Amino acid sequence: DQPRSRGLGDVYKRQVLSRHHLEVASFRKAMGDKNAALSSFESAIAADALSVNSRQQNAEYLTYELSRNQGRYALNSSDGSVSSEFEKDFAKCADAVEELIQSDSRRIQGYYLRSQLYRIREAQLPGKSFERSLADLRHVVEIYPTNVQAWAELAMLRQEAGIAQAEVARDRALSLDSINRAWGLSLIHI
């Protein structure tokens, strides 16, 4: 049995409590206390189980930390595998990203983060995750076809792999950027 809401007052209380935990997490991030920040994100998620925002911030932070720490993860020279620390951090980040996608599959952020996550993994283990990263970026531009940043990243990823459609994605990004510049909204630097 799931606890039943007693009305909008309970919803409001959960949202306020969740926002409080997110503010604490932001403070702890700024102070450099990763574990305390992650604990606060988990508290925010627990406080309002329906909130996508707390899941998104948690997944963004974990992906950022994984990216920032790439240099620390040493390859095992004897068999070419990555460190167990990387695998543990990758799994935690992947779980958070999957939870974000499950909470709202219509939003692009989860797919975009998963694409980033698998690019990080590809850097650690070449040949293992490229296709997954590429598929998620394609999904992002399918959901949000006017996202200049996603088109630009898709073009770069395709170019790195030598895929012929790189020019198509690049041209789409430049076309959208031109429109955005006319509206004062340019986001990319190619």
Side-chain angles (χ1 to χ4, degrees):
D1 276 86
Q2 299 216 353
R4 297 187 70 154
S5 175
R6 291 185 296 272
L8 289 178
D10 286 346
V11 171
Y12 177 73
K13 288 175 193 173
R14 286 193 304 267
Q15 290 172 345
V16 168
L17 184 57
S18 181
R19 273 195 303 270
H20 167 74
H21 288 299
L22 288 176
E23 289 171 7
V24 171
S26 293
F27 174 75
R28 290 176 169 170
K29 277 180 9 185
M31 298 305 293
D33 192 346
K34 177 184 174 182
N35 292 331
L38 290 173
S39 176
S40 293
F41 282 127
E42 290 170 8
S43 296
I45 292 168
D48 187 0
L50 300 177
S51 173
V52 176
N53 187 33
S54 51
R55 284 177 175 74
Q56 180 174 326
Q57 288 188 39
N58 183 49
E60 287 172 346
Y61 183 61
L62 286 168
T63 304
Y64 167 77
E65 284 294 317
L66 190 71
S67 175
R68 190 173 72 88
N69 292 319
Q70 280 186 78
R72 280 187 348 171
Y73 304 119
L75 286 175
N76 184 339
S77 57
S78 63
D79 65 1
S81 64
V82 295
S83 71
S84 60
E85 181 184 9
F86 172 77
E87 289 296 343
K88 181 182 70 112
D89 290 350
F90 177 84
K92 186 173 187 170
C93 187
D95 288 345
V97 169
E98 291 302 324
E99 188 178 320
L100 173 60
I101 291 170
Q102 293 302 315
S103 68
D104 189 350
S105 62
R106 298 165 298 176
R107 294 175 67 168
I108 65 167
Q109 195 61 27
Y111 299 102
Y112 181 75
L113 287 172
R114 190 166 65 187
S115 176
Q116 287 182 323
L117 175 64
Y118 279 96
R119 275 185 273 171
I120 294 167
R121 187 159 197 231
E122 181 69 20
Q124 295 293 318
L125 290 168
K128 303 283 185 191
S129 306
F130 175 79
E131 288 299 322
R132 179 64 178 264
S133 180
L134 187 60
D136 281 328
L137 266 179
R138 281 193 306 256
H139 191 70
V140 168
V141 298
E142 286 171 9
I143 293 172
Y144 190 7
T146 59
N147 187 308
V148 177
Q149 181 178 350
W151 278 105
E153 289 186 32
L154 183 60
M156 289 186 279
L157 198 57
R158 284 177 171 172
Q159 185 174 357
E160 287 172 21
I163 298 173
Q165 296 99 354
E167 293 83 19
V168 173
R170 182 203 61 221
D171 291 346
R172 179 70 174 148
L174 291 172
S175 170
L176 289 169
D177 188 54
S178 163
I179 293 167
N180 285 339
R181 282 180 191 269
W183 285 87
L185 302 170
S186 182
L187 298 172
I188 65 169
H189 305 286
I190 297 180

